[in-house]
Structure formats: C-alpha cells, structure tokens
Amino acid sequence: MERTLSIIKPDAVAKGVIGKILDRFESNGLKIVATRKMQLSRTNAEAFYAVHAERPFFGDLVDFMISGPVVVTVLEGKNAMQINRDLMGATNPKEAEVGTIRADFAENIDANAVHGSDSVENAAIEIAFFFSERDIS
C-alpha cells in the first residue's frame, strides 16, 4: 500500500468543507490512516515549504498557510499519491477539471484548497514532517 499526504488549506477549512473533502478521499478508495487539525507556526510553514524558499511566492505562501487552521491527513491505498493528485485537480482552479476538489472549492491559484504530495518520495518526507509512525493506523 502506498501513502501520501494531503493538507486541507486555511481557505477550505474556513469554508467548512473539511468533511466534503475527506469524503472524496474515502469515496475514491483512499483510507484515512491519520489526520489532525492544527495551526501551523511560521517556522513550521517555512520549514515545510523550504523547497520553494527562493521563489517569489514563498512569503505569500507561508503567510497564507499560517492564516488559519489546516487539516493534515495521511492517505493510504493502491496508487494513493496519483489518486490524490487526480482528485485535487490542477493547481490553478480555473484550469482544474469539473468535479475536482480545486474546481469545486478553491478561489484562486493561491487559495487553492488543498496540498498533495507530488511524488511517493516526497510523500514519505512530508508525512514524517507531521506524523510519527505510531500516529498512523
């Protein structure tokens, strides 16, 4: 079984669509094996998104991710990473296919409702950032 990480971002949490998003995962064969609602600190957001530190959008991304609570979830299943990427849709919700999470719940490319790991290797790193193995069942 493969694992991947999903983060329901502050915009989607504020809209009250946590349950709708989690249901999409389960309805598409993904098992929720760990989840937690939390408020990211600036230090944690900067560390998590360090790969983008040199990009011009880094500061705005960090500010957005600490603007409200997030829901961090470990998903498990066959091809979990790709299934989650397909469910999320394109990063820019204006380009996302109808019925994807971003098409349905995102406002714009910055407030785009969800984050998902972009590779199995990065998923392992991202999961370990938020959860210990004993947190996952």
Side-chain angles (χ1 to χ4, degrees):
M1 283 291 144
E2 188 174 279
R3 288 182 179 164
T4 194
L5 185 87
S6 170
I7 301 176
I8 301 174
K9 294 182 178 181
D11 58 314
V13 172
K15 287 180 185 174
V17 295
I18 297 167
K20 290 178 181 180
I21 293 172
L22 293 177
D23 180 62
R24 297 232 183 150
F25 300 146
E26 291 184 318
S27 295
N28 285 277
L30 297 174
K31 182 178 176 184
I32 296 169
V33 295
T35 194
R36 95 172 24 121
K37 186 177 184 181
M38 63 187 300
Q39 177 72 47
L40 291 176
S41 68
R42 179 169 299 279
T43 300
N44 282 341
E46 288 173 346
F48 185 77
Y49 286 107
V51 66
H52 300 301
E54 300 303 318
R55 300 234 175 139
F57 61 82
F58 179 72
D60 290 339
L61 174 61
V62 169
D63 288 344
F64 171 64
M65 291 302 291
I66 66 171
S67 68
V70 298
V71 175
V72 184
T73 303
V74 179
L75 304 169
E76 185 177 80
K78 185 175 180 183
N79 300 316
M81 190 275 304
Q82 190 58 55
I83 291 170
N84 185 42
R85 303 287 302 169
D86 293 344
L87 290 172
M88 288 190 310
T91 302
N92 184 344
K94 292 177 182 170
E95 298 170 2
E97 289 186 35
V98 173
T100 62
I101 292 168
R102 289 180 172 144
D104 292 345
F105 303 119
E107 295 297 317
N108 55 55
I109 196 165
D110 298 316
N112 65 3
V114 287
H115 163 90
S117 302
D118 62 1
S119 70
V120 174
E121 296 77 22
N122 283 342
I125 294 165
E126 291 180 351
I127 290 167
F129 187 90
F130 290 105
F131 298 96
S132 69
E133 195 58 38
R134 72 177 182 275
D135 294 326
I136 303 171
S137 61

